[in-house]
Amino acid sequence: MQLAGPPRTSSVRSRLRVAACLLLASGVPVLAHADGAPINTLDVTTLLYGEKDRARVIEPNVRVTRIYPDGQSFSGQLGIDVITGASPSGALPSGSVQTTTTPSGNRTSSEQGATPLTSFQDLRVSFDGDWTRPFLRAFTSTLGLRVSREKDYRSVGANAKLSVDLMNKLTILTGGLGFNHDQVDPVGGTHGGLGDGTVIPGRGVNPKEVHTAVLGVSRIITRRWIMAVNGSRTSEGGYLTDPYKVISLMDGESGLTVGQVTEQRPSTRVRKDILTTAAYHLEEDVIHASYRYYWDDWGVKSSTADVKYRSEVDPDAHVYVEPHLRYYTQTPADFFTFGFVQGAALPAYATSDYRLGPLRSVTLGATVGFELSGYPGEWTVRAEYIRQYGDASKANVTGVQKQFELFPAVNIGTVVIGYSLDF
Amino acid sequence: MRIAGVALLVALAGLSTGCAATAVKPWDRDLLAKKQMRLIHQPMLNAVDDHVYFSKEGSTGGMDAGGGGCGCN
């Protein structure tokens, strides 16, 4: 009688069978080929980035991951950034055609009322390596190494993460530490802060150290819903000033620019954030949502909301479309200013870098994923539009400056082409 | 910002002790096993985004313990 099996047992076996099939079919990295050999994954992306009338970037990245039958994996990623174009110098519009020389020696020119820009070009090469190892059934450790180099900036860093599975893997607790030792070597030398750009004689490279601690938990809530909460604290020390940014001095009556000083930021910064992320599986589609709250001791507070909706257009052919919406808003740093009135006492720290101003940003875009019939691997193509804008209505400016757009919107377009192959 | 810190601790404790969830058995995790259900389901795109926003905004942070490494901001 019992050989017929109770319905429950049959249900369990059926579900296990379904789960096993889905695991194999879903693209989750299996631990090994059928013959027990390690599996390799190749991921390639190329970012094409362009700001209207400003910077352009081409950034190819190649990552190779090797996964062994015991769950251990090694991965290495090589990235190259080719950066050209121009970025705001921090100066105010002059009211006339203006040509100035920045601390790095680059010549800057701007039309009347236009935001002064500084041209630049750079090449950044980076390498990341990670080693992940499961042990004692419930633990997973990850050790990482990061190295990058560009014309005026070098960085070497390491990080370690430890995760523990709890309650039959319903919950994963993760803790991590990261450390970076960076060196800033400004083109043209290091200048004194809030000065005329005079280079400090004999000043070598400027060190900068970054320490990060991360603590998080992810949790399976229901059969369709997983979420996580992560908190991080980052402590930075050393040279945190942007050596190429300046602050305008304006006439107290007319508002016309009469000079400029270099910017100066504090030599320490403590950043904290809380990030909540969730994924929810609908009948076929998946929603990803996240919210991050950030604050630091420079006075910057920000909120970031991000939603992606993955729509399975043709699941059998692995074709999907994933629209993406992101909204970001931040408060300005305590020492952010649009400019100074000539002759006024200068504070200890100041910047006119709009990225530390009252900034908002909206991202709208979509990713299309597909496979080419008869060819291995998965392709993704993503196109996004980013608009950055801000509020200059309370700007501390005089005269003619009140007529200018002091926080012009930045329009950015990005395209990312990706390819992933298991072999 | 102590409120945010307390909120994080409460969330961590709540999620880790399972106060908000009933147990989802391993054989019920077929949907959760899909690649698109990973919280970072497109890590390469995610890394590109992190780099772009790090260079264009005044704040950063998230799930990685990397930190630093770019002169772009």
Side-chain angles (χ1 to χ4, degrees):
Chain A
M1 294 292 286
Q2 292 179 348
L3 290 177
R8 177 176 176 76
T9 305
S10 172
S11 171
V12 169
R13 283 180 177 166
S14 172
R15 288 183 180 191
L16 280 171
R17 209 160 36 235
V18 170
C21 290
L22 282 167
L23 271 169
L24 292 172
S26 64
V28 173
V30 291
L31 296 183
H33 289 292
D35 60 2
I39 192 168
N40 303 301
T41 300
L42 170 70
D43 291 293
V44 180
T45 60
T46 299
L47 165 69
L48 306 174
Y49 172 102
E51 301 172 7
K52 190 173 185 297
D53 302 324
R54 294 191 184 180
R56 292 175 295 282
V57 180
I58 299 175
E59 181 185 318
N61 284 287
V62 179
R63 186 174 195 85
V64 176
T65 304
R66 187 172 177 86
I67 306 170
Y68 289 86
D70 63 357
Q72 192 171 202
S73 70
F74 292 90
S75 66
Q77 178 169 331
L78 179 66
I80 298 173
D81 293 80
V82 181
I83 311 161
T84 58
S87 66
S89 67
L92 290 166
S94 64
S96 60
V97 177
Q98 183 183 32
T99 300
T100 57
T101 302
T102 66
S104 63
N106 287 329
R107 291 175 67 81
T108 302
S109 64
S110 60
E111 300 297 325
Q112 179 180 15
T115 298
L117 302 175
T118 304
S119 61
F120 64 91
Q121 59 181 17
D122 207 346
L123 175 69
R124 177 176 183 265
V125 179
S126 63
F127 176 78
D128 296 1
D130 286 304
W131 171 36
T132 298
R133 187 174 73 101
F135 64 99
L136 296 177
R137 285 176 170 260
F139 293 89
T140 302
S141 65
T142 300
L143 297 175
L145 180 68
R146 317 252 181 272
V147 181
S148 71
R149 185 182 183 98
E150 52 201 285
K151 185 164 57 180
D152 55 358
Y153 200 93
R154 293 184 290 279
S155 175
V156 57
N159 61 73
K161 281 202 294 191
L162 179 66
S163 299
V164 56
D165 298 333
L166 303 172
M167 295 179 281
N168 285 324
K169 299 190 175 181
L170 277 174
T171 300
I172 300 176
L173 287 173
T174 301
L177 296 172
F179 169 74
N180 265 71
H181 176 72
D182 298 356
Q183 290 181 306
V184 189
D185 188 10
V187 175
T190 304
H191 57 72
L194 297 173
D196 60 2
T198 302
V199 171
I200 302 172
R203 179 83 168 252
V205 296
N206 304 279
K208 170 183 168 183
E209 298 203 337
V210 182
H211 302 257
T212 303
V214 177
L215 182 64
V217 58
S218 68
R219 170 77 184 180
I220 294 173
I221 307 296
T222 70
R223 182 169 170 263
R224 296 177 178 276
W225 181 16
I226 183 170
M227 68 177 297
V229 178
N230 288 268
S232 76
R233 180 186 190 279
T234 299
S235 173
E236 301 177 356
Y239 188 76
L240 307 182
T241 295
D242 188 322
Y244 310 123
K245 300 295 185 192
V246 297
I247 304 167
S248 284
L249 301 176
M250 63 191 138
D251 182 81
E253 293 291 328
S254 67
L256 294 172
T257 55
V258 294
Q260 62 186 26
V261 294
T262 53
E263 71 153 49
Q264 176 70 51
R265 306 181 187 185
S267 58
T268 62
R269 187 178 191 182
V270 177
R271 307 168 180 257
K272 298 173 185 173
D273 77 276
I274 297 176
L275 171 69
T276 62
T277 54
Y280 190 86
H281 200 294
L282 301 167
E283 193 61 33
E284 288 288 343
D285 303 342
V286 175
I287 299 174
H288 285 265
S290 70
Y291 173 76
R292 186 187 74 193
Y293 183 73
Y294 164 100
W295 69 102
D296 65 33
D297 60 356
W298 284 8
V300 177
K301 300 181 182 72
S302 75
S303 289
T304 311
D306 192 296
V307 181
K308 298 185 178 83
Y309 184 94
R310 174 165 165 147
S311 175
E312 302 294 335
V313 177
D314 186 347
D316 294 333
H318 299 103
V319 178
Y320 67 88
V321 176
E322 186 177 278
H324 175 211
L325 177 63
R326 178 182 186 269
Y327 178 72
Y328 172 87
T329 180
Q330 75 178 39
T331 61
D334 296 334
F335 50 88
F336 175 81
T337 180
F338 285 92
F340 293 124
V341 172
Q342 187 184 33
L346 299 180
Y349 307 110
T351 181
S352 291
D353 187 343
Y354 82 95
R355 297 172 298 181
L356 288 172
L359 175 68
R360 292 175 188 171
S361 179
V362 175
T363 302
L364 185 62
T367 302
V368 177
F370 57 92
E371 294 180 355
L372 294 176
S373 178
Y375 295 91
E378 177 186 334
W379 290 86
T380 53
V381 178
R382 193 188 74 178
E384 294 197 327
Y385 167 69
I386 304 171
R387 182 177 176 83
Q388 293 191 295
Y389 56 103
D391 180 11
S393 61
K394 298 177 182 173
N396 54 328
V397 294
T398 59
V400 69
Q401 296 297 335
K402 293 180 179 178
Q403 303 170 16
F404 297 143
E405 176 57 78
L406 301 182
F407 212 132
V410 183
N411 296 299
I412 303 165
T414 69
V415 174
V416 182
I417 301 168
Y419 176 70
S420 182
L421 173 70
D422 292 342
F423 59 100
Chain B
M1 287 301 101
R2 293 183 185 280
I3 295 174
V6 171
L8 172 64
L9 289 175
V10 170
L12 288 172
L15 288 177
S16 61
T17 57
C19 67
T22 56
V24 178
K25 302 298 184 187
W27 51 85
D28 279 329
R29 298 181 193 172
D30 51 337
L31 301 178
L32 295 166
K34 293 183 179 180
K35 188 157 81 171
Q36 58 264 41
M37 282 298 288
R38 296 178 195 170
L39 290 168
I40 298 179
H41 62 299
Q42 294 170 318
M44 293 289 282
L45 284 178
N46 201 65
V48 168
D49 286 343
D50 283 350
H51 194 192
V52 168
Y53 294 123
F54 174 76
S55 68
K56 298 301 296 180
E57 295 172 347
S59 64
T60 186
M63 303 171 87
D64 198 7
C70 181
C72 48
N73 196 347

